[in-house]
Amino acid sequence: MRTAIVVGAGIGGAAAALGLERSGWQVTVLERAPELGEVGAGISVWPSAVAALAELGVTEVQQAVALVGPAGMRRPDGGWVVEATALGMEAPVMIHRARLHALITERFGPEVAIRTGVTVTGVSQNPAGAEVVAGDEVFRADLVVAADGLRSVVRQTLHPQYAGPRYSGYTAYRGIADVELTDGGGETWGRGRRFGFARLIDGRFYWYATANRPAAQVVADPHADVLEAFGSWHEPIPALLAGTPPESVLQNDIYDLTLPLVPFVSGRVALLGDAAHAMTPNLGRGACTALEDAATLARHLKSPDWAAALAAYDAERRPAATKLVRASRGIGWVGQLDHQVACAVRDGMLAVGGKLAGVTARRRRVGQSRT
Ligand SMILES: Cc1cc2nc3c(=O)[nH]c(=O)nc-3n(C[C@H](O)[C@H](O)[C@H](O)COP(=O)(O)OP(=O)(O)OC[C@H]3O[C@@H](n4cnc5c(N)ncnc54)[C@H](O)[C@@H]3O)c2cc1C
């Protein structure tokens, strides 16, 4: 049986391990954390990632749900910039990260072996196979999938000259609130700050916020920080913050990877997920892209010609991921503008764009009702 090592058991690594097993590979997963799991936050799963999950055999994440209640883009005083409910837009499935992760790992069969508490320090390869080093231990396999995240050691080993992570200029806060709301969700853009929220499929609300800030500043109390920055914004933002256990609020500086991205494949080693294409979260697509990587890689690696399969994986996934890294970075740049005039122009243009999209959506609905 062909053997693979997956480095990292986040959403990307877990999905890759599942996909490889289903394609006939024996898989060893090496994860540095002491146990498997994910952070306490929500995640958007867009239709293409729902399809990738289904391809991997995870069918519990159902197709996108309709927005419930008013939703769209607002100003900090609550005034609408764009009301999305009028647009009939498709919404992603919003799910707790730990739930999504568990849905994937629960599917592992007997050909997936998991080793937690193992920190990979290097990788090498020759025509006969690949070796992964973790302290005193050496693991050998036919193939290595590096899903070890933004600061991937495997990527650094393969591409020591690559500049790697790039700080976006803003930090992000996340939380989950157990509150009753009639509001559907959406984003509120202010000057150098944004707040967004959405209903999870379990009924709770996931919220996230961003603020311009130099990298690596110590935030002693993220909940107090976010309350100070957003507590006076429109409802239901104060209600969401009040309904969130203060100690559960997460804060992370936002990075993406320098463009152009490095090749996703070097010999017998494939990069996947954030290790290959970490992007800012403005499109809510980073993990979705990792799931699509995993489904694509597993599909190609059903073939006995692994070299051709890996080349096809790189050719398919790198251009798609590059577009998302770039688009996501652009949205973040516009969203984090903090000059008063620039923000007024931005909001005006978005409002006009939203009205045009509303007219198009209404025409489409009328057209559909006539056919
Ligand atoms: C604020 C925020 C909001 C986001 N929202 C969304 C969203 O709504 N939708 C979406 O699709 N994406 C979202 N993303 C992006 C998403 O979180 C990531 O793209 C995704 O989690 C990447 O998964 P991954 O498995 O590739 O990497 P990671 O989740 O980083 O997992 C890497 C794993 O590798 C392990 N590891 C690292 N180094 C080693 C080593 N040397 N040896 C062994 N193990 C190692 C780590 O412990 C970890 O378990 C968001 C990101 C942020 C920051």
Side-chain angles (χ1 to χ4, degrees), residues 8 11-12 31-32 43-44 97 118 120 147-148 174 274 284 286-288:
I11 289 169
E31 167 57 51
R32 77 174 163 201
I43 196 159
S44 56
R97 278 173 177 264
V118 175
V120 168
D148 49 344
R174 289 176 282 176
D274 276 12
C288 293

Side-chain angles (χ1 to χ4, degrees), residues 90 103 125 135 160:
E90 194 171 46
L103 285 172
Q125 52 186 320

